[in-house]
Amino acid sequence: MSESPQDMRIDPARAQALISQLGAVKNRVAALAGGQNVRLVAVSKLKPINDILALHQDPARHAHFGENYAQELSQKADLLPRSIQWHFIGGLQSGHCKNLAKIPNLFCVSSVDTPKKARLLSTARAAAIAADPALAKLSVHVQVNTSGEEAKSGCAPGADTVALCREILEECGAGLNLLGLMTIGAIARSKATTAETENEDFVALKEQRDVVARELGLAPDRLELSMGMSEDFEGAIAMGSGEVRVGSTIFGQRPAKADAKIKE
């Protein structure tokens, strides 16, 4: 980390607003979770590290933050405390796997969609663990394209998803831990989702999880469901999601990528 957090300027009014917004989301998550542990990933893409630090330090002490761009994640991880648990949630490119796997406090890559990318991540993480045995294996979600949209990343539900999960479990154990399955789903379905209205993508992911568990001889609860974002996380929790990814509801509207600043 090239700069001490104590030297970073955090606007008190901005910090208070962020803490309040995070607290409101946490309360909504807890109200629906019914005592179950649901991980809240605060999606901080295109937001400055000042905002992230405001939520990571006292009094909020939030740990899990998600980023969509590999280079931005690497830069932020270098500047912020290692106590942060990072999640890479964007489209995964093979060329980024090696550098991502070297980030010591990268908790999870949530967008693994091919055996090649899984092997690249595993090899790089295993090498990092060999150099520093204190490092943990890298958790991963297999991304499933439940909506069937061509523009969406992810495995097709069915045999492809089962095969990739099997590959991670049987061939990538040196560096990876299969945490579960993830979907983003169709925007229209997301907007129509409520705590009482089921989202077809969430239903599909839950069914796919059960298929994978059956085919690989696992208990269904061994595989986490990661689904739900700002507009639909309440419906996702109602469907059994163990992780939700919330950005704009916590941080507000994002700037254009060209206007984003790592540090303010």
Side-chain angles (χ1 to χ4, degrees):
M1 190 168 63
S2 58
E3 181 177 6
S4 168
Q6 289 76 18
D7 298 330
M8 219 173 286
R9 183 183 65 83
I10 298 176
D11 178 74
R14 172 65 174 165
Q16 187 55 49
L18 290 170
I19 291 167
S20 176
Q21 286 150 202
L22 173 67
V25 172
K26 284 186 171 181
N27 288 339
R28 290 165 65 189
V29 169
L32 282 160
Q36 298 298 311
N37 184 32
V38 177
R39 186 186 309 110
L40 170 61
V41 178
V43 180
S44 49
K45 72 172 183 179
L46 303 179
K47 291 295 181 177
I49 57 175
N50 314 64
D51 281 2
I52 299 169
L53 187 61
L55 292 179
H56 182 61
Q57 64 185 15
D58 289 330
R61 302 299 299 170
H62 192 72
H64 293 272
F65 292 88
E67 294 286 335
N68 285 60
Y69 306 113
Q71 184 176 6
E72 182 180 355
L73 172 54
S74 296
Q75 290 174 320
K76 288 178 174 177
D78 186 53
L79 291 166
L80 288 165
R82 276 187 61 168
S83 48
I84 287 176
Q85 299 289 291
W86 293 106
H87 296 244
F88 182 74
I89 60 176
L92 181 63
Q93 298 178 24
S94 297
H96 291 150
C97 289
K98 184 175 181 180
N99 287 335
L100 282 171
K102 290 179 179 178
I103 297 172
N105 52 325
L106 180 61
F107 175 80
C108 185
V109 175
S110 285
S111 46
V112 177
D113 56 1
T114 69
K116 177 183 177 181
K117 294 171 189 176
R119 290 192 294 268
L120 287 169
L121 285 170
S122 180
T123 299
R125 191 65 168 194
I129 292 170
D132 180 2
L135 287 182
K137 292 182 182 181
L138 181 60
S139 289
V140 295
H141 291 126
V142 166
Q143 183 173 355
V144 184
N145 185 353
T146 54
S147 62
E149 296 169 281
E150 291 185 7
K152 285 273 186 359
S153 300
C155 296
D160 288 351
T161 297
V162 173
L164 179 51
C165 290
R166 188 187 304 276
E167 173 85 13
I168 293 169
L169 284 172
E170 296 181 358
E171 305 298 333
C172 300
L176 303 185
N177 167 53
L178 178 61
L179 194 57
L181 305 182
M182 182 273 273
T183 191
I184 294 174
I187 293 175
R189 293 173 182 173
S190 174
K191 290 181 176 179
T193 302
T194 68
E196 296 78 28
T197 304
E198 289 187 345
N199 182 314
E200 292 174 50
D201 290 303
F202 298 165
V203 173
L205 192 70
K206 191 171 184 178
E207 291 175 347
Q208 185 62 58
R209 188 270 308 273
D210 293 345
V211 169
V212 171
R214 183 174 65 250
E215 291 294 319
L216 301 186
L218 303 172
D221 61 5
R222 160 66 177 78
L223 298 172
E224 173 181 274
L225 298 174
S226 176
M227 54 192 191
M229 298 182 288
S230 284
E231 291 187 326
D232 58 12
F233 72 85
E234 290 170 316
I237 294 170
M239 286 291 296
S241 186
E243 175 183 277
V244 293
R245 307 175 300 276
V246 180
S248 58
T249 304
I250 296 171
F251 290 100
Q253 290 300 114
R254 300 183 185 93
K257 189 176 181 181
D259 298 329
K261 298 178 181 177
I262 291 290
K263 186 178 73 169
E264 290 186 341

